[in-house]
Amino acid sequence: MRFDIAVIGGGPGGTAAAEAAARRGRNVVLFERDLLGGTCLNRGCVPTKALIHSAEAYALLREGAVAGIEAADVHHDLAAMHARKEQVVTALREGLAKQMKARKVTVVEGEAKLAGPGTVTCNGETYEVDDIIIATGSAPRVPPIPGADLPGVITSDDILEGEAIDYESLVIIGGGVIGMECAGIYNALGCKVTVVEMCDRILPLMDREVSQRLARACKRRGVDIQTKARVCGIEAGGGVLRVSYTDKKGVDQVVEAQGVLIATGRGAMTEGLLADDGMLGVERGAVVTDEQGLTDMPHVWAIGDVRAGTVQLAHVAAAQGRNVVAAICGEPAPLDESCIPSCVYTTPEIATVGLSEDEAKAQGIAVRCAKQLTGANAKSLIEGAEGGYVKLVAAEDDLRILGAQLVCPRATDIISELAVAVSRGMTAGELAGVIHPHPTVSEMVFDAAEMLLP
């Protein structure tokens, strides 16, 4: 069979690439060995947020007295929460299948293999193509911890795709985005959660003040956070799992729980992809490409989590998919990959884009910063938000917005405005020159921008 473009992997990057190519009149085949939508839709971003929504709704009812609401006999049903999550996922997956069909993308279910330049095999069939886009994504990375294979030790895939387990206690190894979002879900449901993180703070890749704010909020809600902690092993006995670790003072500790979640990051998924080892350049298991996404094999491209050096975010994969298709078609990249917003769906929500104050200073850039607190924002107070802020980082000379860090309600929605500002080189004056509606959390952007003005 002959096609213009083959896409291996039907996640957010692969489907975005397939749609973009088909829209340009290319004949496209899309291979997916599991479920259309990939990790993000089926066992990642979407199901996590669906469960977070349910858990937050439950917590809101339990704490309704603050808002003058008395609710008796409030309880949660985790199985029902998972059923609703599946409804959302199924609806989106079916919509995605219809979109591929409408664009006349040929979708093949099966494990595709790169057999060489211009050749893909799947289900015993050979496909001859002009260009190949690898979009196989990533999988949970489990470190070599003794006992990591014990029953009851799980990954985020198990939580989001497997049977609903209503833990009374849970140890989460890893305080990154996945770990902290899962901590928020189970803490809201009344589970005793302990987070064990090897670095000196949770969310170690984000601004230090952001990490500190979330840590304080989590601790107020009863989450036990252990940082600078090195896990030594996991043992089972007496109906519980015991996680042994060395704490920040070098003292051996043991914490018991009904379950253990390993959330120590994800690794590129290349297993079964290549007909022969050494066909493509790899770095720590991820496919090496140039800035456009082209591998060292002619007409073979890589996007998303499988691509070395890529930030593992669904919207980054989708952007790379669209940009690679543009490159194949001899067009300029439509999306700016240098400006990437990052979101954490905890309580409070967290979102960042561009440079932090420390990053700007490390690059020798003189900056002026302004911070507007949630305590001065009407909508945040109405919603009972915990302490948070909107912080803008601007260049000292011309007040161009270089970055923003948000810890507040609706942060994950508001960040888009600031991504536009950073990407387009807008100034604080231009931001402050736009009327923001009242009462909204977005007013904090206006207020912070106004604070930057002379």
Side-chain angles (χ1 to χ4, degrees):
M1 285 174 276
R2 179 77 191 177
F3 289 88
D4 297 326
I5 295 176
V7 182
I8 304 177
T15 53
E19 194 275 338
R23 184 158 34 86
R24 288 169 169 81
R26 299 305 199 268
N27 188 17
V28 183
V29 58
L30 172 67
F31 300 96
E32 173 52 55
R33 70 178 184 180
D34 191 6
L35 296 170
L36 203 60
T39 292
C40 176
L41 177 54
N42 296 289
R43 63 189 77 86
C45 322
V46 173
T48 305
K49 279 58 183 180
L51 291 176
I52 287 173
H53 176 76
S54 294
E56 289 179 345
Y58 171 64
L60 189 62
L61 283 174
R62 281 193 307 147
E63 300 162 5
V66 177
I69 299 171
E70 295 290 344
D73 193 29
V74 176
H75 64 281
H76 69 271
D77 183 340
L78 191 59
M81 290 180 178
H82 273 258
R84 178 186 178 276
K85 175 259 295 180
E86 283 303 315
Q87 289 176 350
V88 172
V89 169
T90 300
L92 290 171
R93 191 166 57 234
E94 290 175 349
L96 193 55
K98 290 178 181 177
Q99 180 185 353
M100 293 297 104
K101 185 177 181 180
R103 288 293 184 185
K104 295 183 171 52
V105 174
T106 299
V107 178
V108 178
E109 296 181 6
E111 185 168 13
K113 190 180 294 289
L114 176 63
T119 306
V120 176
T121 60
C122 184
N123 300 331
E125 298 283 348
T126 298
Y127 298 78
E128 300 298 331
V129 298
D130 294 331
D131 286 271
I132 299 168
I133 301 174
I134 300 170
T136 47
S138 62
R141 183 191 296 118
V142 178
I145 299 172
D149 57 348
L150 287 171
V153 181
I154 58 174
T155 68
S156 58
D157 280 5
D158 301 312
I159 278 185
L160 299 172
E161 197 176 34
E163 295 182 6
I165 302 177
D166 201 354
Y167 294 105
E168 294 181 2
S169 55
L170 180 68
V171 174
I172 299 176
I173 300 175
V177 174
I178 296 172
M180 296 315 299
E181 288 184 348
C182 289
I185 292 171
Y186 279 95
N187 173 253
L189 298 179
C191 173
K192 171 59 180 173
V193 177
T194 302
V195 176
V196 182
E197 167 57 49
M198 183 174 65
C199 296
D200 64 349
R201 56 192 173 93
I202 58 172
L203 301 183
L205 299 181
M206 287 195 158
D207 183 60
R208 181 172 294 275
E209 186 177 5
V210 167
S211 302
Q212 291 170 341
R213 286 274 182 168
L214 180 60
R216 286 198 292 268
C218 288
K219 288 176 180 178
R220 282 195 296 269
R221 291 191 293 272
V223 177
D224 181 15
I225 297 177
Q226 298 293 327
T227 56
K228 290 186 179 179
R230 185 173 296 276
V231 175
C232 304
I234 306 169
E235 296 180 346
V240 298
L241 292 168
R242 297 181 179 85
V243 178
S244 58
Y245 66 94
T246 303
D247 67 16
K248 64 180 66 177
K249 296 180 180 179
V251 178
D252 293 338
Q253 303 284 356
V254 175
V255 57
E256 295 183 350
Q258 186 181 359
V260 175
L261 166 63
I262 295 181
T264 50
R266 302 178 65 87
M269 176 62 74
T270 56
E271 183 180 354
L273 172 65
L274 305 178
D276 297 303
D277 292 338
M279 289 181 66
L280 293 178
V282 296
E283 181 180 285
R284 296 184 179 181
V287 178
V288 176
T289 74
D290 64 12
E291 290 184 0
Q292 284 190 311
L294 184 63
T295 71
D296 53 11
M297 183 180 291
H299 297 282
V300 177
W301 311 73
I303 62 174
D305 290 7
V306 75
R307 179 161 140 186
T310 291
V311 180
Q312 294 182 336
L313 296 170
H315 46 281
V316 172
Q320 289 180 347
R322 294 183 175 97
N323 284 349
V324 159
V325 168
I328 290 172
C329 297
E331 303 171 6
L335 290 156
D336 177 9
E337 293 183 32
S338 69
C339 183
I340 300 172
S342 298
C343 300
V344 189
Y345 295 79
T346 48
T347 302
E349 285 192 349
I350 293 169
T352 68
V353 69
L355 297 177
S356 68
E357 183 177 4
D358 288 343
E359 288 170 337
K361 289 179 178 178
Q363 295 181 25
I365 302 172
V367 295
R368 183 182 300 181
C369 301
K371 184 190 296 182
Q372 178 67 12
L373 302 178
T374 52
N377 177 258
K379 192 64 162 61
S380 296
L381 290 176
I382 289 167
E383 295 189 6
E386 299 186 48
Y389 59 89
V390 167
K391 181 178 180 179
L392 300 182
V393 180
E396 178 70 40
D397 54 359
D398 58 7
L399 295 185
R400 280 180 303 109
I401 303 300
L402 302 177
Q405 296 82 47
L406 282 63
V407 183
C408 62
R410 310 289 191 274
T412 59
D413 294 317
I414 298 170
I415 197 63
S416 295
E417 172 184 5
L418 291 162
V420 171
V422 172
S423 178
R424 296 299 177 259
M426 293 175 62
T427 66
E430 289 172 323
L431 266 184
V434 178
I435 297 173
H436 288 62
H438 174 79
T440 62
V441 183
S442 67
E443 287 178 281
M444 296 172 68
V445 173
F446 172 88
D447 293 334
E450 198 171 45
M451 291 167 62
L452 287 169
L453 301 180

